[in-house]
């Protein structure tokens, strides 16, 4: 048996929500996806298993979560490791402290931070060489943006998703994509893809962070052209 579900939001989303629960419990998997249309299949049938593999222990899961955070974030806190997973925070702190005792992690001070942060001990020996500033147009759902407290701490930028805000109360726009240059958020662009005409619409261009607009406009426009090609290629 397969289920084909177009993702929705609101009261009509009960069946997709039930399938998502089954997905996270390891009963079904997403066997195929076309745009917003997902196909769910029984896990055992999709992978053709005669016997389900052993589930990861809580210790294995905790170590995986910590290693993944260190790999993706570089500098971590218990808050950033356990984002949206508050019940694991006490155990995660104990795991971090055990790695500190084994000298695998070292505590670092982050200016303006009230919570403790750590990095891998060997990270101090592998600091990358300086590179030219790169420009990134970030989705509101990019992991860097989703963790609002971390974004504010490291980049001094307060992001607000305004799609659900009444139009007359929006400050930056409906679907605002922050623009990261080096280590600074310099702009917030309200973007919309016109798939019928195959182009990207900049509905509102907001400069933020006190950056000089004239110094960044050419680079941001070039990044927008690359972003447009990428988005339309996916459609």
């Amino acid at each position: 048996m397969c289920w084909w579900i177009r993702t929705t939001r609101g009261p009509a989303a009960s069946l997709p929500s039930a399938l998502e629960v089954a997905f996270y419990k390891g009963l079904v998997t997403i066997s195929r996806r076309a745009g917003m249309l997902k196909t769910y299949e029984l896990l055992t049938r999709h992978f053709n298993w005669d016997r389900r593999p052993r589930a990861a222990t809580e210790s294995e899961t905790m170590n995986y979560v910590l290693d993944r955070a260190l790999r993706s974030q570089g500098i971590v806190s218990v808050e950033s490791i356990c984002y949206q997973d508050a019940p694991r925070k006490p155990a995660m702190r104990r795991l971090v402290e055990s790695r500190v005792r084994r000298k695998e992690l070292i505590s670092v001070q982050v200016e303006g931070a009230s919570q403790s942060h750590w990095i891998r001990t060997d990270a101090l020996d592998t600091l990358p060489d300086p590179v030219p500033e790169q420009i990134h147009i970030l989705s509101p759902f990019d992991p860097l943006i989703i963790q609002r407290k971390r974004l504010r701490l490291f980049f001094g930028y307060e992001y607000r998703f305004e799609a659900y805000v009444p139009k007359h109360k929006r400050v930056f726009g409906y679907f605002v994509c922050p623009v990261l240059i080096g280590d600074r958020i310099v702009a917030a662009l309200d973007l919309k893809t016109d798939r019928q005409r195959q182009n990207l619409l900049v509905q509102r261009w907001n400069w933020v962070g006190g950056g000089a607009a004239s110094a960044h406009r050419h680079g941001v426009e070039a990044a927008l052209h690359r972003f447009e090609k990428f988005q339309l290629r996916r459609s």
Side-chain angles (χ1 to χ4, degrees):
M1 179 182 296
C2 292
W3 296 270
W4 292 271
I5 296 296
R6 188 177 300 277
T7 54
T8 59
R9 291 292 181 268
S14 58
L15 181 54
S17 297
L19 286 173
E20 287 173 2
V21 170
F23 173 80
Y24 284 112
K25 286 184 175 293
L27 302 176
V28 299
T29 189
I30 299 171
S31 59
R32 187 167 64 254
R33 180 169 181 166
M36 298 295 289
L37 188 66
K38 298 177 182 176
T39 301
Y40 287 83
E41 175 61 277
L42 293 172
L43 196 72
T44 51
R45 180 156 54 188
H46 176 70
F47 291 106
N48 196 28
W49 287 335
D50 293 327
R51 180 183 301 175
R52 292 170 63 92
R54 178 184 65 83
T57 65
E58 180 62 14
S59 175
E60 289 171 334
T61 300
M62 292 284 290
N63 278 281
Y64 169 79
V65 170
L66 175 54
D67 289 334
R68 181 183 62 182
L70 287 163
R71 191 166 56 247
S72 61
Q73 300 173 17
I75 300 174
V76 302
S77 65
V78 170
E79 178 91 10
S80 72
I81 300 166
C82 298
Y83 178 71
Q84 293 188 331
D85 192 9
R88 277 202 170 109
K89 287 182 178 180
M92 183 58 71
R93 180 172 291 277
R94 291 193 294 271
L95 176 58
V96 168
E97 290 172 350
S98 71
R99 291 202 184 184
V100 171
R101 289 193 297 271
R102 297 199 301 268
K103 302 188 184 305
E104 296 174 8
L105 297 179
I106 186 171
S107 177
V108 293
Q109 296 294 321
V110 177
E111 184 178 355
S114 57
Q115 68 270 37
S116 301
H117 285 78
W118 299 271
I119 61 172
R120 292 184 186 275
T121 307
D122 58 5
L124 297 176
D125 300 324
T126 57
L127 294 177
D129 295 327
V131 297
E133 288 188 328
Q134 298 183 6
I135 301 176
H136 300 279
I137 298 173
L138 303 174
S139 162
F141 307 116
D142 188 284
L144 180 65
I145 305 301
I146 287 176
Q147 292 208 32
R148 303 284 198 264
K149 292 181 181 178
R150 182 178 172 86
L151 176 69
R152 184 170 62 249
L153 174 64
F154 283 91
F155 297 94
Y157 179 65
E158 188 83 40
Y159 183 81
R160 182 188 185 200
F161 187 60
E162 299 182 308
Y164 304 119
V165 175
K167 187 175 182 179
H168 67 282
K169 292 184 178 181
R170 292 173 192 155
V171 177
F172 291 138
Y174 177 80
F175 194 85
V176 176
C177 297
V179 179
L180 176 68
I181 300 183
D183 59 358
R184 294 161 296 147
I185 303 290
V186 301
L189 310 180
D190 184 13
L191 303 179
K192 180 179 180 179
T193 301
D194 186 340
R195 302 195 184 281
Q196 185 174 0
R197 294 183 174 83
Q198 290 290 290
N199 58 22
L200 183 71
L201 306 178
V202 180
Q203 302 193 109
R204 190 182 300 179
W205 188 310
N206 311 278
W207 292 108
V208 298
S214 58
H216 299 306
R217 178 173 288 276
H218 178 73
V220 174
E221 287 177 344
L224 276 170
H225 288 304
R226 295 191 296 272
F227 186 77
E228 179 180 48
K229 292 180 180 177
F230 171 75
Q231 288 295 319
L232 296 176
R233 187 170 62 244
R234 295 172 58 199
S235 61

